[in-house]
Amino acid sequence: MIKTKLSQVRAHARPEPATYRILREVADGLSAPQKELSPKYFYDHRGSELFEEITRLPEYYPTRTERAILDAWMPSLIARLGTRTLIELGAGSAEKSRLILDAMRAAGTAERYVPIDVSAAFLSLTAARLRREYPGLKVEPAVADISEELNLPRGLPRPALFAFLGSTIGNFYPPAAIRLLGRVRAAMEPGDRFLMGADLRKDVARLEAAYNDSRGVTAEFNRNMLRVLNHELGADFDPEAFEHRAFYDTVAHRIEMHLVSVGAQTVNVPGIGGIAFADGETLRTEISAKYDRESVGALFEAAGLRIDAWRTDPENLFALVVGAPA
Ligand code: AVJ
């Protein structure tokens, strides 16, 4: 998304209003008392690769745990629901979606797949691959930033399953999380369901290890945001002049990732100006909220949803939850 929209700044005299939104968002984030940027800025090509690498790290349990729950649960869940359309929020490489699509195929109801993602290029690649793998499945990608809108095609076969996997919900502060779930709720019809992945509260050491891997992949992933800003905005961040820091906040129940300035420095961002960092000052790049059944229930309730079903792995590390209109 950043790539497309910011290149419009260079290519056209009159950029999209959306471009100004991004510039304004970065300017706001960097001028706040606690400097902060959205984790969506991690994900250029290299950022996506680094995240893929994170999902394979021994310390990073969420991805493989969620996959195991999907594997065990989808055949019976999908058979019960009779899902004819899968709508996936933030589809990415659609790797886990296959477990749901396979269950739909086994149930004989694999009619429509609607992957939603900000990256049009990524989406059309994924769509082409899935059309080949699932003949008979109509793949109808939708380009949208799910933190702002869903942009769904009309006339989808029902019932539909909305899927929001990976505990990406944890990246949103509660008001934004409720707004996002509220948009899903508003798009649901009777009989539709919402499947969400949620990383669970647990031992602090285990949580912190998942965001401080011994090989330093997460640190590189964190610093990659600075490379993205350099490339897309022409900023002059020195990624090596920032250290990775990730810790668990036991009161807010979330991991926070920061970049810590090594020494005092001033970074220039064209269109915004010089941004001063004091020695040790931090830029918050991500929150990753952790849940239990009660906190998911509260989030759902605020968005007009109720918990219809809840499954975890044997170690209680991760949950898949099914929401229904309340
Ligand atoms: C993609 C949001 C699920 O919060 O665990 C992984 C991103 N950040 N390591 C997470 C992430 C650092 C991840 N999510």
Side-chain angles (χ1 to χ4, degrees):
M1 174 193 72
I2 314 168
K3 199 156 206 137
T4 322
K5 289 178 178 167
L6 291 182
S7 58
Q8 288 166 353
V9 175
R10 297 189 285 262
H12 304 290
R14 209 193 281 245
E16 299 276 305
T19 308
Y20 294 122
R21 259 212 310 276
I22 294 164
L23 281 169
R24 210 184 316 125
E25 190 179 294
V26 170
D28 284 351
L30 293 180
S31 59
Q34 167 63 69
K35 293 182 170 67
E36 173 155 33
L37 291 172
S38 163
K40 67 188 171 194
Y41 299 118
F42 285 133
Y43 300 97
D44 65 348
H45 182 74
R46 180 166 158 72
S48 301
E49 279 182 352
L50 284 165
F51 178 65
E52 292 285 311
E53 208 178 324
I54 287 172
T55 65
R56 293 190 294 268
L57 292 168
E59 296 98 333
Y60 195 78
Y61 60 84
T63 310
R64 69 179 65 92
T65 309
E66 181 178 52
R67 192 184 303 122
I69 306 169
L70 282 169
D71 218 0
W73 194 20
M74 287 309 103
S76 60
L77 179 74
I78 296 299
R80 163 166 84 83
L81 297 177
T83 306
R84 297 168 65 202
T85 296
L86 173 62
I87 299 162
E88 190 172 17
L89 282 62
S93 64
E95 202 224 308
K96 283 176 282 193
S97 341
R98 281 180 176 72
L99 298 174
I100 304 174
L101 292 169
D102 287 344
M104 288 166 65
R105 183 157 61 182
T109 55
E111 293 179 42
R112 197 76 59 95
Y113 177 47
V114 182
I116 308 176
D117 202 280
V118 279
S119 163
F122 214 67
L123 263 183
S124 52
L125 261 170
T126 300
R129 205 171 334 117
L130 286 171
R131 283 186 189 108
R132 239 177 295 122
E133 278 175 51
Y134 297 85
L137 178 73
K138 192 173 169 201
V139 182
E140 210 175 340
V143 178
D145 179 348
I146 57 159
S147 63
E148 279 162 25
E149 42 148 24
L150 288 185
N151 194 22
L152 286 185
R154 311 200 167 271
L156 297 171
R158 271 18 216 222
L161 181 68
F162 292 75
F164 191 33
L165 301 175
S167 199
T168 304
I169 188 70
N171 281 174
F172 295 85
Y173 287 95
I178 292 164
R179 279 197 300 274
L180 196 165
L181 298 186
R183 275 191 293 276
V184 172
R185 168 65 189 90
M188 286 171 88
E189 292 183 7
D192 289 353
R193 289 292 183 270
F194 174 52
L195 178 69
M196 187 179 84
D199 194 15
L200 297 177
R201 297 174 189 176
K202 60 181 66 64
D203 180 60
V204 172
R206 180 104 195 229
L207 281 167
E208 291 189 337
Y211 294 84
N212 289 285
D213 65 278
S214 59
R215 287 171 43 203
V217 182
T218 309
E220 270 319 295
F221 174 74
N222 198 2
R223 286 193 197 95
N224 191 61
M225 186 180 288
L226 303 180
R227 293 197 187 90
V228 171
L229 296 175
N230 286 349
H231 186 245
E232 301 302 335
L233 293 176
D236 65 355
F237 282 99
D238 174 6
E240 298 315 308
F242 289 85
E243 273 171 7
H244 169 70
R245 180 181 295 164
F247 59 89
Y248 189 62
D249 177 335
T250 54
V251 176
H253 303 286
R254 66 189 185 211
I255 288 281
E256 291 198 6
M257 292 218 308
H258 293 246
L259 288 163
V260 187
S261 179
V262 181
Q265 53 183 320
T266 299
V267 177
N268 185 58
V269 185
I272 296 175
I275 308 288
F277 284 84
D279 181 28
E281 185 178 353
T282 76
L283 164 62
R284 182 161 53 204
T285 51
E286 183 174 57
I287 61 161
S288 188
K290 306 305 172 188
Y291 303 93
D292 53 19
R293 193 173 172 143
E294 203 188 324
S295 52
V296 170
L299 209 54
F300 274 20
E301 195 184 331
L305 295 164
R306 63 177 172 85
I307 296 180
D308 176 50
W310 170 274
R311 283 284 175 103
T312 70
D313 58 293
E315 276 189 278
N316 253 285
L317 299 174
F318 198 94
L320 272 179
V321 51
V322 174

